[in-house]
Amino acid sequence: MKEKLFGKTLPQLKEVVTQMELQGFVARQIADWLYQKKVTSIGQMTNLSLKIRDRLSERFEFGLCEPLKVQASVDGTKKYLYPAKEDKFIETAYIPDQN
């Protein structure tokens, strides 16, 4: 199983790029894509060379996933079901403000 890229801190990303023998600034570029530009795949990190994106994709998965199921209520509340490890699931809810 590939390691998840999303969720890593900047120091952890610096460690990743050091291990991959990439230049240090690449860690900041990755962090910017993950947490500022909010992309959903390594392939979307277009200021990284295709070679770097391919190398990252060999070792890492992005780390975010779409919900398996979404249930919406008439009041705007939504329940989401996400996959977790080993046939486990996480359920979460969005409850809108009722101002």
Side-chain angles (χ1 to χ4, degrees):
M1 178 182 259
K2 293 182 182 180
E3 194 176 341
K4 294 184 184 325
L5 197 57
F6 192 88
K8 291 196 177 298
T9 63
L10 184 56
Q12 290 171 323
L13 291 171
K14 287 180 181 180
E15 186 176 318
V16 165
V17 299
T18 299
Q19 290 172 357
M20 295 180 71
E21 299 179 349
L22 301 172
Q23 294 180 317
F25 67 86
V26 173
R28 273 201 193 281
Q29 289 177 304
I30 294 170
D32 186 50
W33 285 110
L34 292 173
Y35 307 119
Q36 298 298 316
K37 296 178 181 172
K38 300 181 181 177
V39 296
T40 57
S41 74
I42 293 170
Q44 293 174 306
M45 299 178 182
T46 54
N47 67 343
L48 303 178
S49 71
L50 186 55
K51 183 178 178 179
I52 291 174
R53 286 181 274 162
D54 287 344
R55 287 181 61 200
L56 283 169
S57 294
E58 287 171 8
R59 183 172 164 194
F60 296 95
E61 62 182 48
F62 192 79
L64 292 178
C65 61
E66 294 292 319
L68 296 174
K69 186 176 180 182
V70 178
Q71 291 179 313
S73 177
V74 293
D75 67 356
T77 300
K78 291 185 179 180
K79 287 192 335 186
Y80 299 91
L81 184 67
Y82 292 95
K85 292 182 179 180
E86 301 172 14
D87 296 325
K88 304 287 184 194
F89 301 92
I90 297 170
E91 187 175 66
T92 186
Y94 165 76
I95 303 171
D97 285 339
Q98 299 297 320
N99 293 339

